[in-house]
Amino acid sequence: MASKLMVVIPCYNEEEVLPETSKRLVKKMADLEKKGLITPDSRVLLVNDGSRDRTWEMICELHKENPLFEGVKLSRNRGHQNALLAGLMTAKGRCDVSISMDADLQDDMDAMDRFLEKYEEGCDIVYGVRNKRDTDTFFKRETALMFYRLMKALGVDITFNHADYRLMSNRALEALSQIEEVNLFLRGLAPLVGFQSDVVYYDRSERFAGESKYPFKKMLAFAIDGITSFSVKPLRLITTVGLVIFVVSLLMLLYALISWITGNAVLGWTSTLASIWMIGGIQLLCMGVIGEYIGKIYNETKRRPRFIIERYLNDRGDDPVVDKR
Ligand code: UDP
Ligand code: MG
């Protein structure tokens, strides 16, 4: 049975890729409709994340030319995860099923057929997983792998090599909307939603044009966010380190006392200096980790909206008010 699909695409300064992306989407959506997987009133929702180039103007033009395209304009740049959530929350209640993907054509559109087939088989969430990462640089590939391993070691339920190319049913979107955290890491939240899920493998290609909006600094911040939003193990690690150091300090005390008794006390300037620096460093590091979590609590308690929608372009005259939290 055909279902109403909404493809959600966050766009930040994507004027170089949008013409090609939209062209391919028109074709893809027509194909899917012909195959009987989606209904004719399915839509592509382009979320403009406060772009500084002509992205929003282009979205307006696309919408005017073809009602297939809808546009959401955020009031400012809020980052990939918030923009994606804004799109998904707009899609919630307006479709049977949503698929999120990037604007840059890195996610193979032909995987959408398989996503939808899995949905028909009863899955509420389908994760797109990259087959291989040979289009990424060596550095990005290795750091990403390290990140996934670390997440697993910290006990976080995360799908290896899954970015945000994902199918979510309306039911899963409803459940997602009930998770109210401000520190967003959507690929970790989807497994929390639960329901029947599956993975679809696809080849990730290179960015069609333009450059990555994820420089190393943002990637690192994203990784730290991911870890501290889903695991308190680093805090426990600090306790363990503290415990070990305490035991070592007891031994040191014993050693110092024995040295004093046997009369060799003045020596040992090097070891004193070294231990002061070591302990100081470890303490600062631990305080930093604790600070990360306190910062998270601080942000969550403010309960600020995760995104603000300025406009919602659609052919039904829906107003832009959607679930913000
Ligand atoms: N993006 C966004 N807001 C941002 C940064 C990125 O909406 O602040 C969008 C971007 O337009 C793209 C997607 O997020 O559709 C993924 O970004 P990108 O392709 O640059 O990341 P990479 O694939 O290099 O990890
Ligand atoms: Mg990309």
Side-chain angles (χ1 to χ4, degrees), residues 25-301:
L25 275 167
V26 170
K27 196 169 163 290
K28 187 75 222 171
M29 295 296 273
D31 278 356
L32 289 174
E33 197 189 317
K34 223 180 286 160
K35 273 192 174 177
L37 286 167
I38 63 171
T39 58
D41 62 346
S42 294
R43 292 286 179 267
V44 174
L45 184 64
L46 300 164
V47 183
N48 175 41
D49 185 19
S51 303
R52 269 168 299 197
D53 61 2
R54 287 195 66 254
T55 301
W56 177 246
E57 284 76 13
M58 290 169 94
I59 294 174
C60 292
E61 281 159 25
L62 282 170
H63 171 69
K64 220 188 305 169
E65 282 164 19
N66 189 343
L68 173 70
F69 294 101
E70 295 188 354
V72 160
K73 184 177 192 234
L74 298 192
S75 59
R76 50 159 296 176
N77 179 251
R78 292 290 287 128
H80 176 209
Q81 297 289 296
N82 292 289
L84 182 54
L85 184 76
L88 292 175
M89 290 303 105
T90 307
K92 188 192 81 170
R94 294 185 171 102
C95 64
D96 300 318
V97 59
S98 70
I99 293 180
S100 52
M101 60 188 224
D102 290 352
D104 56 8
L105 296 171
Q106 279 190 287
D107 306 323
D108 175 21
M109 276 184 202
D110 291 329
M112 281 166 69
D113 307 50
R114 284 178 286 148
F115 276 34
L116 289 162
E117 279 156 18
K118 296 260 184 213
Y119 169 71
E120 306 233 308
E121 286 164 19
C123 285
D124 277 280
I125 303 184
V126 183
Y127 300 95
V129 174
R130 274 173 251 183
N131 259 336
K132 45 189 188 316
R133 301 186 67 120
D134 52 4
T135 52
D136 285 337
T137 59
F138 176 76
F139 181 71
K140 183 148 185 170
R141 200 164 58 223
E142 289 307 308
T143 47
L145 195 66
M146 260 165 56
F147 170 69
Y148 287 115
R149 289 226 177 97
L150 187 63
M151 289 291 267
K152 269 273 182 301
L154 292 172
V156 185
D157 184 6
I158 191 164
T159 312
F160 261 61
N161 279 340
H162 161 64
D164 282 300
Y165 190 21
R166 178 174 55 234
L167 173 144
M168 288 181 93
S169 68
N170 193 47
R171 189 159 71 137
L173 292 178
E174 283 291 346
L176 180 69
S177 73
Q178 281 165 24
I179 298 179
E180 301 194 335
E181 58 196 74
V182 177
N183 297 290
L184 269 187
F185 190 71
L186 287 171
R187 62 192 76 167
L189 289 177
L192 283 187
V193 166
F195 294 129
Q196 189 180 332
S197 64
D198 208 337
V199 297
V200 160
Y201 292 91
Y202 70 98
D203 291 330
R204 182 142 162 124
S205 37
E206 265 173 76
R207 194 172 231 289
F208 178 73
E211 48 190 49
S212 171
K213 274 80 192 170
Y214 267 104
F216 180 64
K217 232 174 96 186
K218 263 204 211 169
M219 240 162 66
L220 194 67
F222 190 51
I224 293 178
D225 256 357
I227 292 167
T228 52
S229 291
F230 286 91
S231 174
V232 289
K233 279 201 180 159
L235 291 177
R236 248 168 247 159
L237 194 70
I238 290 178
T239 317
T240 317
V241 171
L243 214 63
V244 170
I245 291 181
F246 177 67
V247 172
V248 171
S249 77
L250 284 182
L251 296 176
M252 286 300 281
L253 186 70
L254 200 68
Y255 166 71
L257 280 176
I258 292 171
S259 308
W260 178 62
I261 291 165
T262 53
N264 317 312
V266 190
L267 281 169
W269 175 81
T270 320
S271 58
T272 317
L273 201 70
S275 53
I276 288 174
W277 279 90
M278 277 272 292
I279 304 268
I282 293 172
Q283 278 180 340
L284 281 181
L285 183 71
C286 294
M287 277 170 64
V289 174
I290 296 169
E292 273 294 323
Y293 285 92
I294 295 179
K296 284 250 143 87
I297 299 169
Y298 173 63
N299 280 329
E300 295 294 349
T301 51

